[in-house]
Amino acid sequence: MGKTFVLATCLLLSLLIAADAAWNFTCDFESRDLCGFSQHISDNFNWTWKTGRTSSSYTGPEKAYSGTHYIYIETSVPRINGDIARIQTPTLSRLPGRGCGKLQMGFHAYGISLGTFRVLLKNLNSGTQTTLWSFNRYSGNRSQSWQHVFMNFVANTSFVVRLFCL
């Protein structure tokens, strides 16, 4: 049996600002341009845009969370331990007010052996990265249903959100 770490059609469902709801970034992955997300060039493999089931048996969702598409990574053959896949949002501007934001994400993690998935916030002024959320093969729900995660963060400068799987 293969292993797949699958992320949702609403992988980045929205970034919402608590003080100013007019600022938001939403992606449902229905468009091939992936809402401006970019694959990282220094990783080992890319995220895949998909509709329907994943290619491995006993893994992934039967369908997208909403709509018809999602992005995912395949962690079975030819992947080897230590392979990394990264994708990130386009550059997002400083958040208004105190810079408080909220990220809402849907994910699906069903399979025999899952890797580690991290959501990182990178400050583009300082270059520092902060882990907003992490899921690994030893923790979390591994059911066949879509899961939801909500993360609060502060971004007083331009930033990107990176999705990092290994």
Side-chain angles (χ1 to χ4, degrees):
M1 291 193 266
K3 54 183 181 169
T4 301
F5 197 93
V6 180
L7 301 176
T9 43
C10 59
L11 174 61
L12 212 72
L13 181 59
S14 61
L15 287 173
L16 299 174
I17 311 315
D20 183 358
W23 190 105
N24 102 39
F25 173 82
T26 302
C27 182
D28 61 8
F29 296 111
E30 288 303 312
S31 172
R32 186 172 282 286
D33 74 356
L34 304 179
C35 312
F37 274 71
S38 59
Q39 305 275 1
H40 204 276
I41 59 172
S42 67
D43 57 7
N44 304 95
F45 64 108
N46 287 335
W47 293 78
T48 302
W49 187 58
K50 181 82 173 145
T51 186
R53 293 179 172 260
T54 60
S55 58
S56 296
S57 300
Y58 307 105
T59 65
E62 293 185 17
K63 62 181 183 173
Y65 176 76
S66 65
T68 57
H69 290 88
Y70 57 94
I71 61 170
Y72 81 106
I73 61 164
E74 178 67 55
T75 59
S76 60
V77 175
R79 302 282 59 91
I80 59 171
N81 196 20
D83 279 355
I84 296 171
R86 293 183 189 105
I87 194 168
Q88 72 182 32
T89 65
T91 297
L92 301 170
S93 59
R94 177 188 182 282
L95 303 180
R98 291 188 225 144
C100 297
K102 181 178 182 179
L103 185 147
Q104 177 180 338
M105 181 185 79
F107 76 102
H108 194 286
Y110 175 63
I112 293 281
S113 179
L114 303 171
T116 298
F117 171 46
R118 290 187 189 122
V119 177
L120 306 170
L121 178 78
K122 182 175 182 181
N123 177 315
L124 296 180
N125 280 355
S126 68
T128 59
Q129 290 190 133
T130 304
T131 300
L132 298 178
W133 181 79
S134 183
F135 177 96
N136 67 49
R137 62 182 155 260
Y138 305 112
S139 70
N141 186 336
R142 295 186 195 147
S143 75
Q144 288 186 339
S145 61
W146 288 99
Q147 306 298 311
H148 292 87
V149 177
F150 301 90
M151 296 158 260
N152 293 313
F153 64 93
V154 175
N156 292 316
T157 66
S158 295
F159 66 98
V160 294
V161 174
R162 289 185 166 171
L163 308 173
F164 178 80
C165 289
L166 60 138

